[in-house]
Amino acid sequence: MIRLFFGLELPGELRMRIGAISRGIDGARWVAPEDLHITLRFIGEVTGPAMEEIAAEAASIRFEPFAVTLAGAGHFERRGRVGAVWIGIEPEPALSALRERIEAAAARAGQQPERRRFRPHVTVARLSRARPAEVRDWLAANTLFRAVPFTVDRFALFSSTLGRHGSTYTAECRFPVEG
Ligand code: 2AM
């Protein structure tokens, strides 16, 4: 079985920039710069043949290149606790449209529909017992984060491997605009 998700890779300069703000919360599990990404559609554990089917459907997706701007910072809570901090993404209809096409491709490959609302973000750290004051300070320090837009001209099917220091991600297939 292999754990998969669709997502966007980030340009190196952006990953470096986020790497530079990946500090200041004691006990946070910071995502390594090379693993920073935007998830478009989480798939989960599948077999090799299922992965091939998913990739084959994704390969039929066509889209026009578009620009994405990372801006702002936020957090996700679970059961009243901050579980992750992230950098946000400015609303971009072309990004949502690409996500819809990936959702349709996943459905054609037999995946159950994703019912959760799409909240595009770049997870910077996962937290379990962080001090609220440190989380607040990190969010305040990065609320004005804003990067130059970058062009999205491909998306990727990533595998996720759980290692000793958390998950690492590998782009297994890339799907460029030209098909
Ligand atoms: P996160 O960054 O917000 O944690 C690989 O695990 C990617 O898929 C991560 O970016 C993660 O989002 C996302 N992901 C993991 N489990 C998920 C789930 N059950 N539903 C949706 N997305 C998930």
Side-chain angles (χ1 to χ4, degrees), residues 94-164:
L95 180 68
S96 306
L98 175 58
R99 192 222 136 87
E100 289 302 312
R101 282 177 204 168
I102 292 173
E103 182 61 36
R108 290 196 301 274
Q111 294 295 306
Q112 292 300 313
E114 171 61 86
R115 304 203 182 281
R116 299 209 260 173
R117 191 162 66 93
F118 180 44
R119 295 176 72 183
H121 62 275
V122 178
T123 296
V124 179
R126 297 191 174 81
L127 314 171
S128 26
R129 276 178 210 83
R131 281 194 217 107
E134 286 189 341
V135 174
R136 245 183 351 255
D137 288 350
W138 189 90
L139 292 170
N142 294 298
T143 183
L144 295 179
F145 182 102
R146 198 186 164 80
V148 290
F150 68 95
T151 302
V152 175
D153 56 8
R154 63 184 184 182
F155 64 97
L157 183 58
F158 291 88
S159 64
S160 164
T161 315
L162 191 59
R164 255 189 300 162

Side-chain angles (χ1 to χ4, degrees), residues 31-113:
V31 177
E34 61 270 24
D35 285 327
L36 291 163
H37 65 275
I38 300 171
T39 298
L40 293 173
R41 168 56 149 97
F42 183 72
I43 301 285
E45 304 269 342
V46 299
T47 61
M51 173 176 169
E52 278 173 31
E53 203 177 336
I54 292 164
E57 290 297 345
S60 72
I61 293 174
R62 296 286 172 273
F63 66 103
E64 294 291 319
F66 58 91
V68 160
T69 305
L70 300 192
H75 71 284
F76 288 140
E77 271 181 30
R78 271 180 76 186
R79 293 185 218 100
R81 278 198 180 175
V82 178
V85 290
W86 42 260
I87 290 296
I89 296 161
E90 292 205 326
E92 170 50 61
L95 180 68
S96 306
L98 175 58
R99 192 222 136 87
E100 289 302 312
R101 282 177 204 168
I102 292 173
E103 182 61 36
R108 290 196 301 274
Q111 294 295 306
Q112 292 300 313

